[in-house]
Amino acid sequence: MVDFKTIIKDFPILKRRINENKLIYFDNAATSQKPKVVIDALSNFYSNNNANIHRGVHTLSMEATYLYDEAKEKIAEFINAPNNNSIIFTRGTTESLNLIADSWGQSNLKESDSIVITELEHHSNIVPWQELIKKTKSKLRYIPINTDGTLNLANINNIITKNTKLISMTHVSNGIGTINNIKKIIKIAKSVGATTVIDAAQSVPHMPIDVSDLDCDFLTFSGHKMLAPTGIGVLYGKKELLESMPPYQKGGDMILEVTYDKATWNEIPFKFEAGTPNIAGAIGLGAATNYLMKIGMQNIRDHEIEITKYAYNNLMNVDGIEILGPENTDIRAGLISFNIPNIHPHDLGTFLDSKGIAIRTGHHCAMPLIKKLGHHSSARASFYLYNTNHEVDKFTAEINNSIKYFNNV
Amino acid sequence: MSELNEIYQELILDHNRRPRNFGKMNNYTNYSKGYNPLCGDEVEFYMEITNDKIDKIQFIGIGCAISKGASSLFTETLKSKNLHDAQHITTIYKKMLTNKLDSNENIEDLGDLTLLSGVSVYPARIKCAILSCYTIESAIRNDQNTITTE
């Protein structure tokens, strides 16, 4: 049994006061806070083990290499990847998706092919494909959504066809919190021979993920949303796919042999990790992964379900509120996107900030989705393991106060 | 509450709740549309300008209290002003928000728009306050392109 009340003590920043109030951090879908173990891992590395990896014969280089590789092993275990070499370190989800679009996409797509994504996507899972189809003259098709923000699969067999070569979709919508039935879509994709990409930026930090069970071809996520530093992320790919793909960036570490005329590529994962990687970031991500595994991802998911249900029910009592996305927490992750009549999300955001509460306001890098749902922007509260129902009480009370403030009642 | 009241002056909130000169204009000489891609705010200004004087000015749009309040206050301030004075006001207003006023420049010329000065300490909100100003400048030029804050 995990006592989530004590978890708050692991996060130094949560002691901070913002505008004379205790910080309530509800912007976890944007980035998470960092536990002391992660901050210490960075500090320890730079204080004791810092060196470049994979080439030095000296002690520090061997230590740094060991720590970097150990982090990779930990992450492979975390998502149940069958092979450590299937884990490529990138700067984050955005770079992972761009890597797939550039490397896999340009060498596998032709004019008659289509890419399928959904109307729920973050800009980072739209724009790389829009650019790719310009280069390859292939087509981009969307799985539409219902008004409750769930995928509408009624015409799925007309969207995913024998021409579909790639399906790239988010597991959890960062804009409205919908959890997609990715297993079902992956199965449909397999039936037409399409390659599958799962944007797991909003799911890997919050729930158990097993890539072997999902049987997806690629899966991407970011470290900073799962307690790790910024600038480190992961691309998981099936070994044989990664082996067949051309390199993304060219330079040091990704080569086997270089002459003045030509070069041959190193094996995976090195082929995709050109240049000195974010070594400290990778070690920080390893520490974060370790911390999350000790607590248990199902425990974290259960905790977030409880808070989300509580927050949803509390918010439904706010006069005129419109909550985007599905109600059922079986298909809603720990985030709630909403609008309050006559109060612009930015004004609500500034009001809540004056009470020490951090939320995100705007279009959440999912402009087409927010527009499709009939809004220009929304306010979004997103939860993590250190949040509590008590914080939700204060949040709801301050939303009610903001209505009085802006409407002068 | 005091810091909040710095940015949300009562008159700004009042203009947000009951925007003045709000609505489309059918007969106008000048027009421009502004857009803040960061938050999706939109504003459109219509003007009737004769002999270099703003006889009529109206706006429509969606936005936060700062953006809508500023638009509404601008229409009240610029009505009946000649273009030279209007341009002086938009210049001083931008300098006020970005803390770039010269020592000899006076914000009193801005009238009630001085109430927006509190926004200058909220870097994330300056664009909300500046969108209407950019759009008005563009309308005076009769620029056909949508103006953005980016």
Side-chain angles (χ1 to χ4, degrees):
Chain A
M1 186 67 193
V2 182
D3 183 5
F4 278 92
K5 285 194 189 76
T6 62
I7 277 175
I8 200 163
K9 293 196 189 85
D10 297 341
F11 293 80
I13 205 171
L14 297 179
K15 287 196 207 87
R16 248 205 85 166
R17 299 185 79 79
I18 303 285
N19 297 317
E20 291 155 32
N21 291 278
K22 198 177 155 291
L23 166 66
I24 294 179
Y25 187 77
F26 280 176
D27 194 18
N28 293 290
T31 197
S32 64
Q33 297 303 346
K34 320 303 174 199
K36 192 161 181 303
V37 286
V38 168
I39 300 167
D40 286 349
L42 295 180
S43 170
N44 278 339
F45 172 70
Y46 282 126
S47 304
N48 299 308
N49 318 101
N50 179 51
N52 212 329
I53 55 168
H54 293 151
R55 45 199 128 208
V57 294
H58 58 80
T59 303
L60 289 183
S61 178
M62 288 187 289
E63 284 176 6
T65 304
Y66 175 80
L67 291 168
Y68 182 83
D69 290 346
E70 188 188 46
K72 198 165 269 196
E73 260 171 53
K74 188 52 85 181
I75 288 147
E77 182 192 340
F78 183 55
I79 59 169
N80 196 24
N83 193 316
N84 294 346
N85 295 339
S86 281
I87 306 292
I88 314 289
F89 281 137
T90 63
R91 280 193 294 134
T93 306
T94 297
E95 190 176 48
S96 300
L97 290 167
N98 275 279
L99 190 160
I100 302 167
D102 274 28
S103 171
W104 185 91
Q106 292 202 50
S107 47
N108 282 285
L109 286 177
K110 53 182 193 302
E111 214 171 314
S112 56
D113 295 340
S114 66
I115 299 168
V116 171
I117 62 177
T118 82
E119 287 183 343
L120 286 170
E121 303 308 321
H122 185 283
H123 296 162
S124 62
N125 198 24
I126 301 175
V127 184
W129 312 120
Q130 286 176 337
E131 290 303 302
L132 177 61
I133 61 163
K134 277 188 211 162
K135 289 176 193 153
T136 56
K137 298 196 170 63
S138 46
K139 285 160 208 69
L140 184 60
R141 305 192 66 187
Y142 287 86
I143 302 175
I145 51 168
N146 300 308
T147 50
D148 72 347
T150 55
L151 291 180
N152 178 347
L153 301 180
N155 287 315
I156 195 71
N157 293 328
N158 295 326
I159 298 165
I160 299 175
T161 67
K162 60 177 179 15
N163 291 328
T164 307
K165 285 290 169 308
L166 183 87
I167 296 174
S168 185
M169 65 184 299
T170 190
H171 188 187
V172 169
S173 156
N174 74 301
I176 59 173
T178 314
I179 303 176
N180 289 320
N181 187 346
I182 47 172
K183 221 171 165 178
K184 183 171 175 179
I185 308 277
I186 290 167
K187 248 189 198 147
I188 299 172
K190 300 266 164 217
S191 71
V192 298
T195 299
T196 48
V197 181
I198 303 299
D199 169 359
Q202 299 291 348
S203 62
V204 163
H206 301 281
M207 56 190 74
I209 297 292
D210 181 330
V211 292
S212 299
D213 177 55
L214 286 171
D215 199 24
C216 54
D217 295 306
F218 297 105
L219 184 128
T220 62
F221 57 99
S222 299
H224 71 94
K225 292 189 202 290
M226 52 178 283
L227 314 181
T230 51
I232 186 77
V234 170
L235 165 66
Y236 158 81
K238 279 190 178 161
K239 192 166 161 275
E240 54 284 7
L241 263 173
L242 291 172
E243 278 169 347
S244 72
M245 286 156 56
Y248 173 52
Q249 292 180 328
K250 291 91 182 170
D253 226 25
M254 54 74 67
I255 44 80
L256 199 58
E257 190 183 18
V258 181
T259 67
Y260 285 123
D261 299 320
K262 61 177 179 11
T264 49
W265 313 140
N266 203 340
E267 296 171 341
I268 60 164
F270 310 109
K271 184 170 72 176
F272 293 108
E273 292 181 353
T276 298
N278 182 355
I279 305 167
I283 291 165
L285 177 55
T289 306
N290 219 5
Y291 178 86
L292 289 170
M293 284 170 83
K294 271 188 194 153
I295 294 168
M297 292 314 292
Q298 190 56 51
N299 290 330
I300 291 170
R301 171 74 183 131
D302 291 343
H303 175 72
E304 288 182 22
I305 287 175
E306 189 200 321
I307 291 194
T308 308
K309 273 186 183 160
Y310 187 73
Y312 194 97
N313 292 333
N314 273 14
L315 287 173
M316 282 309 278
N317 292 324
V318 173
D319 236 5
I321 195 168
E322 185 181 345
I323 297 180
L324 312 184
E327 178 179 354
N328 183 351
T329 46
D330 290 344
I331 51 168
R332 170 189 284 278
L335 76 86
I336 299 180
S337 211
F338 61 95
N339 270 307
I340 290 168
N342 303 321
I343 303 181
H344 190 282
H346 275 14
D347 294 323
L348 179 65
T350 296
F351 182 91
L352 291 176
D353 177 62
S354 76
K355 313 296 177 193
I357 304 168
I359 61 158
R360 175 80 186 263
T361 59
H363 50 64
H364 322 297
C365 293
M367 269 181 176
L369 167 65
I370 301 298
K371 253 192 190 152
K372 168 110 188 181
L373 293 169
H375 294 265
H376 288 88
S377 61
S378 76
R380 181 187 71 187
S382 50
F383 313 118
Y384 211 177
L385 70 167
Y386 37 69
N387 293 128
T388 63
N389 285 357
H390 180 67
E391 290 176 323
V392 171
D393 286 338
K394 161 107 170 138
F395 169 66
T396 322
E398 292 301 351
I399 287 176
N400 283 318
N401 287 336
S402 79
I403 295 172
K404 288 182 201 135
Y405 182 80
F406 287 108
N407 294 326
N408 200 20
V409 289
Chain B
M1 204 63 96
S2 64
E3 272 180 34
L4 204 59
N5 292 345
E6 277 296 302
I7 175 168
Y8 294 116
Q9 300 276 340
E10 188 42 46
L11 189 65
I12 298 173
L13 291 179
D14 180 64
H15 274 256
N16 173 51
R17 287 191 287 265
R18 299 184 301 117
R20 322 295 199 267
N21 308 302
F22 191 79
K24 273 189 182 168
M25 229 161 87
N26 290 324
N27 298 312
Y28 55 87
T29 56
N30 290 58
Y31 165 85
S32 189
K33 184 174 180 177
Y35 177 55
N36 180 350
L38 229 60
C39 59
D41 284 3
E42 285 172 13
V43 67
E44 292 172 69
F45 276 92
Y46 300 86
M47 295 177 194
E48 200 183 287
I49 300 178
T50 36
N51 300 324
D52 281 352
K53 187 168 150 267
I54 301 173
D55 289 327
K56 218 174 161 191
I57 172 168
Q58 287 186 200
F59 81 104
I60 56 168
I62 27 169
C64 61
I66 303 300
S67 148
K68 217 164 162 188
S71 293
S72 176
L73 282 164
F74 256 116
T75 61
E76 293 274 272
T77 311
L78 295 182
K79 210 185 323 181
S80 308
K81 289 273 191 306
N82 67 44
L83 292 187
H84 179 268
D85 289 348
Q87 274 154 351
H88 171 68
I89 286 169
T90 56
T91 305
I92 297 287
Y93 178 80
K94 283 188 289 185
K95 285 186 171 183
M96 173 184 81
L97 287 178
T98 50
N99 292 317
K100 284 182 183 149
L101 282 168
D102 293 332
S103 54
N104 61 340
E105 286 173 322
N106 199 336
I107 61 167
E108 277 167 26
D109 300 343
L110 297 178
D112 287 339
L113 283 169
T114 55
L115 293 175
L116 271 308
S117 65
V119 178
S120 66
V121 296
Y122 287 83
R125 302 301 302 276
I126 290 172
K127 281 177 183 165
C128 311
I130 227 157
L131 177 66
S132 52
C133 183
Y134 284 167
T135 313
I136 286 162
E137 289 179 323
S138 153
I140 290 172
R141 293 193 306 269
N142 237 340
D143 203 331
Q144 296 307 306
N145 299 322
T146 296
I147 289 299
T148 79
T149 49
E150 297 310 294

